Amino acid sequence: GINAEYGGLVETQLAIIPGAGGTQRLPRLIGSSKAKELIFTGRIIDASTALSLGIADHVTEKGAAFEKAVEIAKEICVCGPIGVKAAKQSINRGIDLEKSAAMKVEEEAYRRVVYTEDRVEALRAFIDKRKPHFHGK
């Protein structure tokens, strides 16, 4: 069901700490205060709570996760592939940098996409009130 158990970092109940970066990634995702509460208590949370905390992006009925993933993929596929790739690279490269350095990563990515054929096509499609046809160029 939709409120099924999601999981948790239960290691403190075993007198150890979460490994594999759990004590570093969770606080960056949800803030140190809430992460401390979850880690210190070893609490298991349900899917709705994971969603509200920003740990999960979506919650589906059991067996519907693949369909949800396909739905999202279809939304992504109508976007310009060069822009999507550059946005992904910008996020991935900048996420752990200081903000000023991350902004430079974004500026570099923007320079790579602004003069593409796909961008010109997007502008033409907007003017013509039609959907763009991207070719990854």
Side-chain angles (χ1 to χ4, degrees):
I2 224 147
N3 282 326
E5 283 187 357
Y6 179 80
L9 299 176
V10 299
E11 288 86 349
T12 55
Q13 293 178 6
L14 304 171
I16 59 174
I17 69 169
T23 64
Q24 300 305 306
R25 292 187 311 216
L26 189 62
R28 286 171 171 78
L29 185 62
I30 67 172
S32 64
S33 178
K34 186 52 78 173
K36 285 176 182 178
E37 178 183 338
L38 293 178
I39 291 170
F40 295 172
T41 63
R43 186 178 306 138
I44 301 289
I45 59 173
D46 64 25
S48 297
T49 302
L51 182 65
S52 70
L53 290 172
I55 295 171
D57 291 328
H58 301 277
V59 174
T60 65
E61 293 291 338
K62 187 174 183 177
F66 181 77
E67 288 80 13
K68 183 63 179 176
V70 169
E71 177 186 321
I72 294 167
K74 286 179 180 179
E75 288 182 68
I76 294 168
C77 285
V78 299
C79 297
I82 294 173
V84 171
K85 180 179 180 181
K88 179 180 177 181
Q89 289 173 339
S90 181
I91 292 166
N92 290 345
R93 289 180 181 158
I95 193 71
D96 292 324
L97 300 177
E98 294 293 325
K99 187 175 178 183
S100 62
M103 293 299 291
K104 289 179 182 176
V105 168
E106 182 181 279
E107 289 170 17
E108 177 187 313
Y110 186 78
R111 278 193 295 268
R112 288 193 318 265
V113 299
V114 74
Y115 299 108
T116 63
E117 291 177 27
D118 280 356
R119 178 181 170 270
V120 172
E121 165 58 14
L123 294 174
R124 283 188 189 132
F126 178 78
I127 291 168
D128 296 344
K129 298 182 184 347
R130 61 175 173 80
K131 292 185 179 189
H133 302 287
F134 298 118
H135 301 286
K137 297 180 180 178

